[in-house]
Amino acid sequence: MKLAVITDSSVFFPEQFKKADNLFILDIPVTIDGDTYVEGVNLTATEFYEKMAAAQNLPMTSQPSVAQLDELLFKLANENYTHVVGLFLSSGISGFWANIQYLIEEHEGLTIAFPDTKITSAPLGMMVMNALNWAEAGLSFETIMDRLHQQIEKTSAYIMVDDLNHLVKGGRLSNSSAILGNLLSIKPILYFDETGKIVVYEKVRTEKKAVKRLIDVMVKLSEDGSYDVMIIHGNAVEKANSLYEQLTTDGVTNLSIATFGSVIGTHLGEGAIALGVTPHFD
């Protein structure tokens, strides 16, 4: 078996994994005041938040290119790949996953799987890294897919946003709720529901209580086994470091810090912070 792993630029994982010969990343363009960028090509996460703060309008994101994926699949077949797994951002926040299913039948020379990850960012990155590691270890395609489905089923992310106005502009919260929330210092906690959509989980008074609630939720989610826990932030390094210290003090292991890049940062805004939980595989 020669396996290719394809993902998109909403993903987050350590730089060394991007050097894998069998990893391919589809671009998700971000448009800021008429200029188009691709993170990792002509934009860093830090530069994105700087540009977003100075922009007259909220940035806009596009889907990855279906045509680019189609072309890549032809290329992989010509390079003697036999199997492909595509791990892309959740169908609940992008129509891309639904739009590419027909490609599975179009490329008969390849065994292709496009599971709906129902997640993005660092938890998506953990799935990609696992798939690469399992392929290198010589696991069968069926075993890799079985493990990925197990991981998808038990992966969650809960998010605290700093700016309610981003949720209003993205259609996640009414303007009246945002005004009331700002006046009452309400911090909404969002999460990826079972369909992969980002929805409001709870509205909590004050950031301190919201952070405590995030930790409580994470502990409950991970209590039935071994999990990797990711602190993900939108240009909020101090918040992330503080949360890391709290969790470390509480005895949480397999803990890492990641960044919301331009794709997800567009919709959550600067200052957002999240806890992602995904099963740990040895």
Side-chain angles (χ1 to χ4, degrees):
M1 178 183 72
K2 186 177 181 182
L3 174 68
V5 180
I6 310 174
T7 188
D8 60 61
S9 57
S10 74
V11 75
F12 179 95
F13 46 62
E15 284 294 321
Q16 63 263 30
F17 277 89
K18 296 181 181 180
K19 300 176 183 178
D21 292 337
N22 59 332
L23 173 65
F24 304 88
I25 302 176
L26 302 180
D27 296 336
I28 298 181
V30 177
T31 302
I32 307 174
D33 285 346
D35 295 320
T36 300
Y37 304 90
V38 174
E39 189 170 333
V41 177
N42 60 350
L43 184 73
T44 66
T46 300
E47 289 170 344
F48 162 72
Y49 285 105
E50 292 173 352
K51 290 181 181 295
M52 182 169 66
Q56 295 182 348
N57 301 295
L58 186 69
M60 298 177 62
T61 59
S62 303
Q63 290 185 19
S65 168
V66 176
Q68 182 186 3
L69 176 58
D70 190 23
E71 181 180 344
L72 175 58
L73 292 172
F74 280 115
K75 178 186 176 189
L76 293 174
N78 289 333
E79 294 178 357
N80 299 317
Y81 280 91
T82 58
H83 294 71
V84 174
V85 57
L87 299 167
F88 307 108
L89 73 171
S90 170
S91 68
I93 56 177
S94 171
F96 182 69
W97 177 82
N99 292 339
I100 64 175
Q101 295 305 308
Y102 79 95
L103 292 175
I104 295 174
E105 303 300 327
E106 295 287 319
H107 295 268
E108 295 180 356
L110 293 169
T111 299
I112 302 172
F114 295 147
D116 185 1
T117 67
K118 301 181 182 180
I119 205 72
T120 186
S121 189
L124 175 60
M126 194 65 70
M127 294 176 191
V128 172
M129 289 188 292
N130 280 339
L132 291 169
N133 288 334
W134 294 332
E136 186 177 1
L139 273 63
S140 69
F141 187 70
E142 292 74 16
T143 300
I144 290 172
M145 293 311 305
D146 181 62
R147 289 190 177 192
L148 283 173
H149 284 300
Q150 291 180 46
Q151 187 170 12
I152 290 168
E153 183 180 351
K154 293 191 174 183
T155 295
S156 301
Y158 287 74
I159 311 155
M160 181 185 72
V161 297
D162 195 52
D163 185 353
L164 293 172
N165 293 319
H166 279 263
L167 293 173
V168 173
K169 293 175 182 178
R172 302 291 177 186
L173 199 67
S174 70
N175 189 48
S176 59
S177 294
I179 293 172
L180 181 62
N182 286 328
L183 289 174
L184 297 177
S185 299
I186 289 175
K187 291 289 182 181
I189 294 176
L190 313 177
Y191 80 116
F192 283 83
D193 68 10
E194 63 278 1
T195 68
K197 293 181 180 179
I198 299 177
V199 298
V200 175
Y201 178 71
E202 285 183 7
K203 296 178 183 178
V204 184
R205 290 287 300 272
T206 77
E207 182 169 317
K208 184 177 180 180
K209 290 182 179 179
V211 170
K212 183 180 184 303
R213 185 67 180 123
L214 278 178
I215 294 173
D216 291 343
V217 170
M218 183 278 299
V219 170
K220 183 173 179 58
L221 286 171
S222 60
E223 65 186 1
D224 66 341
S226 177
Y227 284 77
D228 289 298
V229 179
M230 294 141 281
I231 300 168
I232 318 164
H233 68 92
N235 202 34
V237 176
E238 291 185 5
K239 286 183 184 179
N241 288 338
S242 176
L243 189 52
Y244 186 94
E245 291 179 7
Q246 291 182 56
L247 291 170
T248 301
T249 300
D250 289 342
V252 176
T253 57
N254 297 330
L255 183 62
S256 61
I257 296 179
T259 305
F260 281 123
S262 57
V263 177
I264 306 304
T266 291
H267 303 288
L268 298 181
E270 187 171 16
I273 195 157
L275 283 175
V277 181
T278 191
H280 178 79
F281 292 86
D282 293 321

